[in-house]
Amino acid sequence: MRLDVVTIFPEYLDPLNVSLVGKARARGQLDVRVHDLREWTYDRHNTVDDTPYGGGPGMVMKTGPWGDALDDVLADGYENGSHGPALVVPTPSGRPFTQELAVELSERPWLVFTPARYEGIDRRVIDEYATRMPVYEVSIGDYVLAGGEAAVLVITEAVARLLPGVLGNAESHRDDSFAPGAMANLLEGPVYTKPPEWRGQGIPDVLLSGHHGKIARWRRDEALRRTTRNRPDLVERCDPSAFDKKDREMLSILGWRPGPDGRFGRDPDAVEE
Ligand code: ADE
């Protein structure tokens, strides 16, 4: 997969040399190219922003540098269709970044990221490239960052670990919390490793039992417990057919009751077990 990032802070993307993404690059599984937007400015001050039409606070990134930069980046290797590039525009106004979107992006051969500073990029830039390629405007969460670069790091890591051969164990992302279809989209429960005793704390006996069925059941119960505590919205959204008899027993203990449509809802006063 090829990734291009156009930014006014190329050094912000240095973490792409480290860890999983860095190793994928070294192995040739990822071709990452970071470009300094200011190389496409032609005035003495390397200006990339200007005041917004219509007034208001902040500055808007100008069409000129972005258009010239993207034309040059895209000219090198451009193909139409599914082999062609997709633009990924990090913005708090975008669609939420989810595991499902990570999977979709991981299936594309070439992503071009346009992290913006200030109040964002002049809309005409996005609209113009949208006539030629898919454009994903993506938000990594309901908070406002100073710029999109940190979002590029987040998106890149989530996408890179899905590429064939990048994770050591091809099974490792099958059980991810949020993997499409996995565990009815429950959060994963707690995990333990050696030593068996640490600062007076042991580990749950069931994990030492060697009984795979009981271990799987315990993991599922813990997933239900943690999801109830941290993301009750995920339980509410679950297709009830994803829950077996034992799940339903646990959900009942945790205060969930099936509603008229079969979906689970929780008594707001339910106390946690
Ligand atoms: N830029 C600023 N805030 C952002 C967010 N939450 N997601 C993606 N890009 C952003």
Side-chain angles (χ1 to χ4, degrees):
M1 169 180 263
R2 175 172 161 189
L3 302 178
D4 289 87
V5 188
V6 183
T7 168
I8 58 169
F9 291 121
E11 63 279 19
Y12 206 120
L13 284 305
D14 284 353
L16 296 179
N17 290 315
V18 181
S19 186
L20 176 127
V21 175
K23 282 193 195 127
R25 289 176 85 171
R27 285 198 221 107
Q29 292 161 324
L30 260 186
D31 171 11
V32 180
R33 309 180 193 183
V34 178
H35 314 270
D36 187 347
L37 179 68
R38 293 200 200 271
E39 283 178 22
W40 287 274
T41 55
Y42 307 102
D43 65 314
R44 227 159 31 95
H45 301 291
N46 301 114
T47 310
V48 293
D49 61 334
D50 207 335
T51 53
Y53 276 120
M59 300 290 273
V60 175
M61 296 192 95
K62 292 163 69 64
T63 50
W66 275 110
D68 291 351
L70 289 173
D71 283 351
D72 282 355
V73 166
L74 292 166
D76 177 12
Y78 184 81
E79 276 186 65
N80 227 329
S82 64
H83 295 292
L87 210 60
V88 182
V89 183
T91 162
S93 325
R95 63 196 262 203
F97 186 57
T98 58
Q99 189 65 20
E100 202 175 353
L101 185 51
V103 170
E104 184 175 336
L105 294 178
S106 76
E107 287 162 358
R108 300 217 49 112
W110 183 7
L111 302 175
V112 180
F113 290 93
T114 61
R117 294 266 143 182
Y118 318 115
E119 297 297 311
I121 304 173
D122 186 308
R123 186 69 212 175
R124 290 168 293 180
V125 175
I126 316 299
D127 290 346
E128 137 100 350
Y129 290 96
T131 66
R132 283 185 253 165
M133 63 194 67
V135 173
Y136 296 86
E137 291 183 83
V138 181
S139 165
I140 62 162
D142 291 343
Y143 39 78
V144 180
L145 302 166
E149 285 79 4
V152 173
L153 295 177
V154 167
I155 296 167
T156 301
E157 186 157 318
V159 168
R161 65 188 284 284
L162 296 174
L163 298 176
V166 167
L167 275 193
N169 177 356
E171 299 279 281
S172 324
H173 42 73
R174 195 199 50 203
D175 297 336
D176 288 347
S177 298
F178 313 116
M183 295 282 281
N185 282 321
L186 300 177
L187 303 182
E188 284 182 52
V191 293
Y192 301 87
T193 185
K194 288 163 269 305
E197 182 89 16
W198 183 74
R199 298 190 182 176
Q201 291 190 70
I203 61 169
D205 288 339
V206 61
L207 297 179
L208 298 170
S209 69
H211 193 302
H212 298 299
K214 283 191 183 151
I215 291 171
R217 186 63 250 165
W218 179 84
R219 288 192 169 140
R220 181 88 174 162
D221 286 347
E222 291 304 308
L224 289 165
R225 197 189 297 281
R226 191 180 272 194
T227 309
T228 296
R229 185 184 312 139
N230 294 341
R231 293 292 305 277
D233 58 304
L234 294 180
V235 178
E236 283 159 15
R237 256 191 276 154
C238 259
D239 178 348
S241 69
F243 297 126
D244 65 15
K245 189 160 166 279
K246 297 272 183 198
D247 291 340
R248 286 161 191 273
E249 281 170 27
M250 187 63 189
L251 285 167
S252 167
I253 290 170
L254 293 169
W256 294 95
R257 304 283 175 261
D261 63 351
R263 282 181 195 274
F264 280 81
R266 198 159 181 251
D267 178 353
D269 300 324
V271 278
E272 199 178 299
E273 298 279 328

